[in-house]
Amino acid sequence: DFKVLWEVFRSYAGPADRELLVAGVEKIWAAIERYSIEVQNGYIEESSQMADKRLSERARLMTAILNNDVPAEEDLQSLASALGVDAAGNFIVVATTVQGDRDLRKAGDRLTASGHIAHTHSTGHYSLLVSDWKGEDTQPIRKLLSGSVCGLAPVIHGFSGLARACRLAIEIVELNAAGAHGPAELKDLWLPFLASRLRDAAPELVQSVLAGLDTVSEAEQERLTEVAW
């Protein structure tokens, strides 16, 4: 601080030094200003590095959680701690393609500004927004993202459902072939959702259902099949 340093100089300076001290005041001020700038820049750099480390740790934990069908409890607790949230609380998860990443991050910033703890994560093909939430009403996030093509998973109760909610939100985005704007939910795409889930198990399902016809005559099989269709 210039005032403190100036008082120290004055206390040590004798009558003969006062004129010299006054003549060098600009140099003293410039030195203090340089030092202050260096300290400030150092603080900003250190803060930036710490923020980068926090983001890297959150990204690492999110990746580990999404890559496991049953995420490790330690990873879930560590992510909750890194975000500063209660792992047993309520959360929403929204997914969008990389093209909608900017809108998702803006929504995250607005949620943060309104008192929520929001985190965005990129998987490469998709972007995810995770935020703490109160209650079951999703209208606020629907309004924030009304102009974006995205998928909104049902509200989850605790971080134990985080990985499933993220995968579900991504699946909803994939099924939104029409590109309808605003967060799409399961209730909006339940038919294509069921069709998508059945597609993987279709051969086994057909075999399982038709296996019961093996014990009846060919004519009865044709009659039952015709009725079914």
Side-chain angles (χ1 to χ4, degrees):
D1 184 89
F2 178 78
K3 290 182 178 180
V4 174
L5 192 58
W6 181 252
E7 289 300 323
V8 171
F9 281 147
R10 285 187 59 190
S11 65
Y12 280 97
D17 301 320
R18 297 290 172 83
E19 185 176 342
L20 181 63
L21 184 61
V22 171
V25 69
E26 289 187 9
K27 292 182 179 179
I28 296 171
W29 177 261
I32 293 173
E33 190 172 18
R34 281 198 305 271
Y35 176 75
S36 298
I37 291 173
E38 289 175 3
V39 170
Q40 186 176 17
N41 288 341
Y43 174 77
I44 293 172
E45 184 177 354
E46 181 67 21
S47 298
S48 177
Q49 289 177 355
M50 290 178 65
D52 287 343
K53 286 180 181 179
R54 286 195 295 269
L55 286 174
S56 292
E57 179 63 6
R58 293 173 183 176
R60 183 191 70 78
L61 290 167
M62 277 290 292
T63 300
I65 289 169
L66 294 176
N67 287 342
N68 286 279
D69 291 333
V70 183
E73 184 64 27
E74 181 181 353
D75 286 340
L76 293 171
Q77 292 295 335
S78 295
L79 179 60
S81 178
L83 293 175
V85 298
D86 179 5
N90 290 352
F91 300 91
I92 56 165
V93 177
V94 186
T96 185
T97 60
V98 289
Q99 288 81 5
D101 178 79
R102 185 177 179 183
D103 289 340
L104 204 65
R105 293 184 182 278
K106 282 184 178 179
D109 290 341
R110 292 185 67 177
L111 285 173
T112 300
S114 64
H116 290 275
I117 297 176
H119 173 67
T120 52
H121 176 78
S122 176
T123 67
H125 297 293
Y126 298 95
S127 292
L128 293 160
L129 169 64
V130 180
S131 176
D132 62 337
W133 206 249
K134 292 182 180 179
E136 303 288 333
D137 182 18
T138 58
Q139 276 303 114
I141 190 65
R142 293 183 68 86
K143 288 180 180 179
L144 281 179
L145 290 165
S146 59
S148 305
V149 178
C150 51
L152 174 62
V155 175
I156 58 173
H157 310 290
F159 256 17
S160 58
L162 179 61
R164 179 178 174 81
C166 288
R167 285 191 284 269
L168 192 55
I170 289 173
E171 190 171 359
I172 292 172
V173 174
E174 292 174 339
L175 292 172
N176 189 11
H181 285 238
E185 299 183 62
L186 274 178
K187 63 183 180 182
D188 304 316
L189 299 165
W190 67 271
L191 192 56
F193 179 80
L194 288 178
S196 172
R197 289 297 177 92
L198 285 173
R199 191 179 301 122
D200 292 336
E204 292 80 6
L205 179 62
V206 171
Q207 182 179 0
S208 175
V209 172
L210 296 183
L213 298 177
D214 292 342
T215 58
V216 300
S217 66
E218 184 174 343
E220 185 66 9
Q221 287 184 26
E222 291 180 0
R223 187 186 71 80
L224 289 173
T225 303
E226 182 179 348
V227 171
W229 288 103

